Amino acid sequence: MGSANVLKTLRVDKGITMDITVNESEPEDSINRYVMDTICTGEKVIYVPPHWHKTHAEYLSVLEGRVEVTVNGDKVILKAGDPALFVPRRVVHSIKGFKNEKLVIRERPDPAGMYKAMFFNDIASTGTFGNFWHILRVFYDWETYLALPLYFQFFDEVFMTIFGGIAHLFAPRKLEKL
């Protein structure tokens, strides 16, 4: 990855951290410039519930171990060395690790930019992924939507607009820098 520097390491949960990395030899519009590597010791299983992104896609790749990725209801086991999995914008996806297995998963946003690092920095600013209101506020502010079991993204957007807006009354303010 060239001259990569870890800008910040976030504590996500027990045995789970995330390195926010910049490769300054890559141009600003390269998806390889800003990279988020989530490192799981296996102590606790990482689980990211079904969600989708309105304005960006992402590439997921495994550097060590394996992970179950569900994309639009289809489960895929992604292993170290497999090609990156492209998750288009507006596509529901979730991630689940395996108990007692070490995992390093890399995420690269498309379009490229620092915004995804800012999202993770904001959501982990409480030392973990935060409480219900904090998560709703962060999702609202960074255009990420929980996939409700109603199967229409319109309802996901209405839910986030109402409850994400209300969350601003209870949750810490949006972080604007790392």
Side-chain angles (χ1 to χ4, degrees), residues 13 19 30 40 59 72 96 101 106 109 111 119 153 155 163:
D13 208 334
D19 288 343
S30 168
C40 309
Y59 289 87
N72 268 347
K96 184 178 173 201
E101 290 188 23
R106 174 167 288 170
F119 163 83
Q153 290 184 339
F155 293 121
F163 290 98

Side-chain angles (χ1 to χ4, degrees), residues 23 25 41 46-47 53 56-57 61 68 70 73 77 84 155 166 169:
N23 183 345
S25 68
T41 62
I46 187 168
Y47 176 68
H53 310 285
H56 75 275
S61 53
E68 179 183 280
T70 303
I77 304 295
F155 293 121
I166 292 170
L169 301 171

Side-chain angles (χ1 to χ4, degrees), residues 29-42:
D29 62 350
S30 168
I31 63 167
N32 294 314
R33 184 170 177 93
Y34 297 103
V35 172
M36 282 60 60
D37 289 339
T38 303
I39 301 104
C40 309
T41 62

Side-chain angles (χ1 to χ4, degrees), residues 1 14 28 35 48 53 57 62 72 76-78 82-83 88 94 96 101 104-105 113 117 125 140 143 158 164 166 177:
M1 198 165 117
K14 185 176 182 180
E28 281 289 333
V35 172
V48 179
H53 310 285
V62 175
N72 268 347
V76 175
I77 304 295
L78 197 58
D82 287 349
S94 64
K96 184 178 173 201
E101 290 188 23
V104 180
I105 185 167
S125 64
Y140 175 87
E143 294 194 66
V158 169
I166 292 170
K177 60 183 180 174

Side-chain angles (χ1 to χ4, degrees), residues 57-71:
E58 54 197 26
Y59 289 87
L60 302 174
S61 53
V62 175
L63 305 181
E64 184 176 340
R66 63 188 180 126
V67 67
E68 179 183 280
V69 182
T70 303
V71 179

Side-chain angles (χ1 to χ4, degrees), residues 131-176:
N131 66 33
F132 176 76
W133 291 109
H134 181 208
I135 290 169
L136 286 180
R137 198 271 304 148
V138 172
F139 274 40
Y140 175 87
D141 286 345
W142 296 100
E143 294 194 66
T144 298
Y145 299 86
L146 292 171
L148 301 175
L150 302 172
Y151 305 105
F152 292 104
Q153 290 184 339
F154 169 78
F155 293 121
D156 301 344
E157 290 188 63
V158 169
F159 175 85
M160 285 308 302
T161 299
I162 294 169
F163 290 98
I166 292 170
H168 280 86
L169 301 171
F170 305 105
R173 298 180 84 166
K174 178 180 180 180
L175 295 182
E176 300 291 343

